Each structure stands twice: as structure tokens, then as C-alpha cells.
Amino acid sequence: MKLGMIGLGKMGFNLVVNLLSHGHEVVVSDINPQRGEQLAGLGAQPASSIEELVMKLKHPRIIWIMVPAGAVVESVTDKLSGLLEAGDIIIEGGNSHYKDSAERAEKLKERGIHFFDAGTSGGTSGAEHGACFMIGGNQEVFATIEPLFRDLAVDQGYLYAGESGSGHFLKMIHNGIEYGMMQSIAEGFELLEKSSFDFNYENVARLWSNGSVIRGWLMELTQNAFAKDPQLAGIRGVMQSSGEGKWTVQTALDLQASTPVIALSLLMRYRSLEEDTFHGKVVAALRNEFGGHAVVQDS
Ligand SMILES: NC(=O)c1ccc[n+]([C@@H]2O[C@H](COP(=O)([O-])OP(=O)(O)OC[C@H]3O[C@@H](n4cnc5c(N)ncnc54)[C@H](O)[C@@H]3O)[C@@H](O)[C@H]2O)c1
Ligand SMILES: O=C(O)[C@H](O)[C@@H](O)[C@H](O)[C@H](O)COP(=O)(O)O
């Protein structure tokens, strides 16, 4: 098939490599032209702007967007909305909020443009070699783009999830689970580190990757990380987050669903961003007030 890819960063670039390896024709564009030039060497057709990308595709066009969620997705879809015709298809593969995606689909529907929210998982290696996709949008039109997902996914790694928004909803919950699983693995290693034993963490992660109940890709990645740096001495325990965990917890509150593991793993990320906390000072001060317990003086 022939399609366009807008956004050639860590994910978009590798998805294009994957698409090319399956014989698809891809017109590519990014605000950083070097990315398109690199892909031209692999057989992609670079376009210097979104307008040019649209011109290089024949109606009905298929355009995949893989840019940062939020304002950038908004501006790119707005631009496309003015350039595309009824019957054209937009696939948005980033980590957008599912409500934004449902609204975008409604807005584009007024112009006859089909919008699919395609939550994408598997990281950069998945994008290149086989990923997992959670897709929301019109089911009949999905048949047109299904061959792309069949090629890009690993084994049975794609699902038509339902109406618009359902793909990104599923990806949001997936990422909530991801937060909880990672935090749990991390806490296990924290206990190993604090114990009196002298474990080799790479060996432990390898062990747990083989036949154990807690084996899986995250454990394999744990093994890789300890193989590179046995004590992770080169990095600080600052855990950033890009929104999906927060939205999962907000959704849990809205639905009155008890999700303590995911909620606490999100709060642990926030805690990791601070050297010291005001709440810690308050508790220390209160202990001192009622019991005369010692406080640690700030230097
Ligand atoms: N990195 C991952 O493991 C991963 C996995 C799944 C989903 N995602 C999601 O996919 C999306 C893209 O992630 P990424 O890791 O590839 O990000 P990235 O920052 O590596 O790449 C984004 C690309 O978009 C380009 N871009 C920015 N504004 C643009 C514009 N107006 N027009 C054209 N191109 C523009 C940038 O130049 C960059 O090359 C995000 O929503 C992210 O959350 C990331
Ligand atoms: O399934 C995946 O491939 C990952 O979840 C992917 O989407 C990405 O690595 C997250 O955006 C990280 O999310 P945080 O920045 O919130 O940890």
C-alpha cells in the first residue's frame, strides 16, 4: 500500500523502516528534514512539508501521524483537515488522551475524513520489528487499513477495539499496567539491594526471565539494564512520566474503580522528581512538636 508518515522520531522512523521492509510505499515528513533524508536512503519518498506529502499521495489517502501528543497532534490534524478530502484516512499512533481522539474523530467526520486512534506499544524495537496496536474508529473503513497493521504487528498484536477513542483508551490502561509492573519489579530489586546478600542483579533478572511466574519483556529489559550497568550507578532514580499513568488514575477516580497499585506507582514517579518534600518537613516537624523527636537539620 502507499501511505504517508508525519513524524519521524523514535517511533515514526522505525515504523517506516518496518513498512518499507514489507514492501509498502511511504511518503515521509518531519519538521527535521534530516530524518526524511535518512529514510530516503532506505527507499522512502521524503516530502519537505505536510502540503507536499498530501500532494504525493493519491485519493483516498492514508496518513499516519507519529508526533508528540497534545498541541502537536492538534496542529497537524488541523492542518490535514484543511488539505484532505472526504474518504481520506488519518491514523494517529501517538499516546493521545482518548477523549481528545474521540473529539478529533467527530470533528473530522464532518468533513468525511476517517480518523483512527491507534495506541502503539512495543517501544522502538517493536516499531521496527513488530509492535502492538489498539485501534479505534469506523469498523468498515478499518478493513482498508488492516493490511498495514497485519504487517506492522508482531503475530496477533493488533486489535480493532471499537468506536473512536477506544484504541487510545486501551493504550492508556495498558500504560497504567506498565507503571504498576515496573514499580513492582523495581521494589523487588530495592529489597535485594538493601538485603545482606550480594546478588548479581543481571543474573537474578536472567533467572526470573526463565520459566518463572514473573518472566516477561520487562524482566528481560531489567536484565539488559543491569548488564550495561550492574548497579545502575550512572543514572539517577528520577522517573518521568508523559501523562498516560495520570489519565489512568483520573479515569479510575471517575469510574470509582480501586486501582491502588497503579495510583501509587504514579505517585512514586512524582515523588522521585523531588529531592526533599514539604510534606516530609511537616511530618518531621509534627513528630518533633508532639514527641520531641529529633529532626534532620537542613544545612
Ligand atoms: N518512544 C516510545 O517508546 C513510544 C512508544 C509508543 C508510543 N509513543 C508515542 O508516540 C508519539 C511519538 O513518540 P516518539 O517517541 O517517536 O517521539 P519523538 O519525540 O522521538 O518524535 C516525534 C517526531 O515528531 C516530529 N515533529 C514534531 N512536530 C512536528 C510537526 N509539527 N510536523 C512534523 N513532525 C513533527 C519531531 O521532529 C520528531 O521527529 C508520542 O505520542 C509518544 O508518546 C512512544
Ligand atoms: O507501550 C509502550 O511502548 C510504552 O508505553 C510507550 O508508549 C512509551 O514508552 C510510554 O510513552 C512511556 O510512558 P511514560 O513516559 O508515561 O512512562
Side-chain angles (χ1 to χ4, degrees):
M1 295 176 83
K2 185 166 182 177
L3 72 153
M5 178 72 74
I6 299 173
L8 308 171
K10 294 184 285 295
M11 292 300 288
F13 188 97
N14 286 304
L15 285 171
V16 173
V17 173
N18 194 345
L19 285 162
L20 293 171
S21 76
H22 283 90
H24 298 286
E25 277 183 79
V26 197
V27 183
V28 296
S29 182
D30 192 292
I31 46 169
N32 173 0
Q34 282 174 352
R35 306 292 286 174
E37 285 157 21
Q38 273 175 279
L39 284 167
L42 301 174
Q45 301 166 41
S48 59
S49 64
I50 292 180
E51 287 82 352
E52 191 186 326
L53 177 136
V54 169
M55 272 169 47
K56 285 186 163 170
L57 295 166
K58 279 202 195 103
H59 176 73
R61 304 170 183 87
I62 301 171
I63 298 179
W64 191 305
I65 308 176
M66 211 64 199
V67 298
V72 184
V73 169
E74 190 66 16
S75 81
V76 170
T77 43
D78 275 357
K79 183 164 231 172
L80 283 174
S81 167
L83 296 168
L84 297 182
E85 300 167 74
D88 287 341
I89 296 172
I90 298 175
I91 302 168
E92 205 272 277
N95 282 339
S96 294
H97 195 292
Y98 76 97
K99 286 185 182 169
D100 292 342
S101 300
E103 271 176 35
R104 273 182 202 120
E106 271 310 301
K107 221 167 119 188
L108 289 160
K109 199 172 164 186
E110 290 166 15
R111 304 207 56 245
I113 299 165
H114 306 293
F115 180 88
F116 288 88
D117 45 292
T120 305
S121 183
T124 52
S125 60
E128 184 175 352
H129 301 294
C132 170
F133 300 95
M134 299 143 246
I135 310 136
N138 180 300
Q139 187 162 19
E140 278 173 34
V141 182
F142 176 68
T144 315
I145 54 172
E146 187 167 2
L148 293 175
F149 290 104
R150 205 177 288 131
D151 285 346
L152 284 172
V154 63
D155 301 328
Q156 296 181 46
Y158 73 91
L159 178 74
Y160 170 74
E163 65 195 66
S164 293
S166 62
H168 279 151
F169 186 86
L170 208 49
K171 179 68 198 320
M172 176 185 77
I173 303 302
H174 166 282
N175 277 32
I177 295 170
E178 183 181 292
Y179 276 46
M181 288 174 73
M182 288 198 290
Q183 180 64 27
S184 177
I185 291 171
E187 288 179 16
F189 280 91
E190 173 93 36
L191 286 170
L192 298 185
E193 174 70 359
K194 289 211 156 76
S195 79
S196 57
F197 298 102
D198 186 20
F199 293 109
N200 175 310
Y201 302 138
E202 181 192 349
N203 288 346
V204 171
R206 182 186 299 105
L207 168 75
W208 286 344
S209 291
N210 283 276
S212 93
V213 168
I214 57 171
R215 68 186 181 272
W217 195 43
L218 288 173
M219 193 57 74
E220 289 165 22
L221 296 178
T222 307
Q223 183 189 330
N224 293 351
F226 283 124
K228 288 180 200 150
D229 184 349
Q231 286 289 325
L232 303 183
I235 56 176
R236 283 170 51 78
V238 175
M239 305 184 282
Q240 306 286 357
S241 55
S242 40
E244 299 265 357
K246 178 178 165 188
W247 303 334
T248 307
V249 174
Q250 285 171 336
T251 304
L253 294 174
D254 289 345
L255 298 177
Q256 233 179 301
S258 63
T259 57
V261 173
I262 296 174
L264 283 177
S265 60
L266 174 71
L267 298 183
M268 286 302 288
R269 290 204 183 190
Y270 292 165
R271 175 64 186 87
S272 79
L273 304 179
E274 301 180 59
E275 289 283 352
D276 194 5
T277 59
F278 194 64
H279 73 252
K281 287 174 192 278
V282 173
V283 172
L286 287 176
R287 285 182 79 249
N288 182 261
E289 290 294 324
F290 63 63
H293 303 296
V295 294
V296 177
Q297 296 291 339
D298 208 354
S299 49

